[in-house]
Amino acid sequence: GESVGLHLPTLSVQEGDNSIINCAYSNSASDYFIWYKQESGKGPQFIIDIRSNMDKRQGQRVTVLLNKTVKHLSLQIAATQPGDSAVYFCAELGFQGAQKLVFGQGTRLTINP
Amino acid sequence: EAGVAQSPRYKIIEKRQSVAFWCNPISGHATLYWYQQILGQGPKLLIQFQNNGVVDDSQLPKDRFSAERLKGVDSTLKIQPAKLEDSAVYLCASSLDDRVGQPQHFGDGTRLSIL
């Protein structure tokens, strides 16, 4: 759903470990979800998407899991690298008067050497 | 493939002044979006164009914000007059069309600071 507040949730992981970033979405009728990566001073970059008729989708080093029962989305990054440091946003295609992409609050991922 | 181009990268103005941002989408992309991203939050859609027509501007504060895409290619977003709460990054995105599954490609945004 819509984000609130100035303080992003943070996740710190060791380089080489796997990262799991979680997201709760708001609209049970949403049928399309996307994960974006945003580096400092840059625009969001598409990572992976998933439709509501799937519960898992894999990309290169990334996996998205969708649990529609509890309206939960997760992004798993395998073998985390320093270049993965960024803020990660989940977004749902919701309907608020018209079909639009609604971004969650975001999670800041920090990689420790 | 060239990405979404935005200018300027930074803008500092005083409240009650006017400001305009420019966006050139990826060539061939029919759908163009303007988002506002306040510090610490996710982007929020302001307006969506399909070619030169407005699809959704329900979250655009129309008393002070305006946007146009006259020839269906590049677009401008204007704020007049600016308020302190308009301080944010303004992101432009484009997609091939507005069908579900078409990813939105973002520019790097214009960071606006209101004094």
Side-chain angles (χ1 to χ4, degrees):
Chain A
E2 295 291 341
S3 59
V4 294
L6 293 176
H7 301 289
L8 289 171
T10 57
L11 174 67
S12 293
V13 299
Q14 291 296 123
E15 183 177 349
D17 286 353
N18 297 334
S19 303
I20 300 176
I21 301 170
N22 297 302
C23 175
Y25 63 91
S26 58
N27 188 347
S28 57
S30 294
D31 59 4
Y32 180 62
F33 304 88
I34 310 173
W35 280 100
Y36 282 93
K37 172 186 180 183
Q38 188 172 27
E39 297 175 275
S40 181
K42 301 283 189 180
Q45 177 187 2
F46 173 90
I47 302 174
I48 191 168
D49 59 359
I50 188 168
R51 292 183 184 251
S52 60
N53 61 353
M54 304 172 69
D55 53 20
K56 180 179 179 178
R57 190 167 187 218
Q58 288 184 292
Q60 186 177 11
R61 279 202 310 119
V62 295
T63 301
V64 56
L65 299 178
L66 175 62
N67 185 331
K68 294 180 287 294
T69 303
V70 295
K71 293 190 289 186
H72 183 268
L73 199 63
S74 69
L75 177 71
Q76 301 178 4
I77 305 174
T80 313
Q81 303 169 358
D84 295 328
S85 292
V87 176
Y88 289 81
F89 291 98
C90 66
E92 60 183 296
L93 191 66
F95 188 85
Q96 295 178 357
Q99 198 173 45
K100 59 169 60 71
L101 209 55
V102 177
F103 283 77
Q105 181 178 17
T107 297
R108 183 180 302 281
L109 178 64
T110 302
I111 313 304
N112 302 316
Chain B
E1 174 182 79
V4 176
Q6 290 189 248
S7 67
R9 287 284 282 132
Y10 305 93
K11 191 73 179 179
I12 301 173
I13 62 172
E14 295 185 347
K15 60 183 179 183
R16 291 188 290 273
Q17 286 188 323
S18 303
V19 65
F21 315 123
W22 175 81
C23 172
N24 191 19
I26 293 173
S27 178
H29 280 197
T31 312
L32 185 146
Y33 313 80
W34 283 102
Y35 288 85
Q36 180 193 58
Q37 186 174 24
I38 292 173
L39 183 65
Q41 298 182 17
K44 184 184 83 171
L45 180 69
L46 293 175
I47 189 168
Q48 176 183 340
F49 291 93
Q50 181 69 15
N51 297 307
N52 62 350
V54 175
V55 172
D56 179 11
D57 63 357
S58 58
Q59 298 189 109
L60 187 75
K62 298 180 189 63
D63 58 334
R64 299 183 300 106
F65 286 63
S66 64
E68 59 184 17
R69 193 185 185 200
L70 292 175
K71 296 183 179 179
V73 181
D74 54 355
S75 176
T76 55
L77 176 69
K78 296 179 182 177
I79 308 175
Q80 180 180 11
K83 291 185 175 181
L84 291 175
E85 65 253 35
D86 299 333
S87 292
V89 175
Y90 290 85
L91 295 163
C92 179
S94 70
S95 60
L96 197 59
D97 53 52
D98 62 354
R99 288 177 296 169
V100 174
Q102 287 292 347
Q104 296 183 23
H105 301 266
F106 284 81
D108 288 338
T110 296
R111 183 177 297 277
L112 176 65
S113 298
I114 312 294
L115 303 179

